[in-house]
Amino acid sequence: MPERQQALSVFHPAPPHALDAMTAFGTFARRRGVRRLWIGQSLHIESQLALAGLAARLPGLALGTAVALAPLRHPYQAAVEARSLGVLSGGSYVAGYGPGALDLQQRLLVAPYERPLRAMGSTSP
C-alpha cells in the first residue's frame, strides 16, 4: 500500500481485452500511489462490466470511464451502472460520457444531438 496518494490518475493504455491484464495494470498503478484508474469505451469487453470485474479484484481502487459513448446506453442504465460501480469498488467511480462522433450519432440515434454538450448534461455554452 502506498504511503500517500499522488495527485496523478492514469489511463489504461488500451481498451480492455482481458481482466488479468487490467488487474496487473491496476495493481501496478495502486502500488505507485495512483489516485484513479481510467478506461475508455471498449467494444470488446463492455467498459463498465470490465470495471466491475476489476473492482472485485482490487477493492478500494478509484475508477473512471473517460469517455464512454452516450448513444450506446439509456441514461437510466448509465446512472445505475455508475452507482453500482461506486458501491462495488469500495472506492469511488467517475462516469465520463460523451456524444461520440457525428457519424456514430447518425447511425445510432433518430437524429444527432443538436447541441452535444447540452445533451451530455453540460452547463457550458
Side-chain angles (χ1 to χ4, degrees):
M1 196 84 176
E3 292 181 22
R4 66 182 182 89
Q5 280 190 327
Q6 302 292 318
L8 178 68
S9 295
V10 295
F11 195 87
H12 192 273
H17 288 279
L19 191 54
D20 287 341
M22 288 182 64
T23 302
F25 188 80
T27 300
F28 174 80
R30 175 184 270 171
R31 287 182 182 153
R32 298 298 179 266
V34 167
R35 182 178 58 181
R36 183 175 309 278
L37 175 60
W38 297 88
I39 68 166
Q41 180 71 54
S42 172
L43 300 177
H44 184 73
I45 298 175
E46 209 290 317
S47 302
Q48 282 73 13
L49 292 176
L51 287 177
L54 188 60
R57 292 184 176 193
L58 297 172
L61 180 63
L63 303 169
T65 50
V67 168
L69 297 171
L72 297 178
R73 63 184 37 82
H74 188 278
Y76 175 79
Q77 184 65 32
V80 169
E81 290 170 355
R83 182 185 65 220
S84 298
L85 276 167
V87 171
L88 291 172
S89 71
S92 68
Y93 172 69
V94 175
Y97 288 95
L102 181 59
D103 182 56
L104 177 81
Q105 294 173 39
Q106 290 170 333
R107 291 174 191 218
L108 296 177
L109 304 171
V110 174
Y113 299 118
E114 185 176 322
R115 298 187 68 182
L117 289 177
R118 184 166 287 166
M120 297 302 103
S122 174
T123 57
S124 302

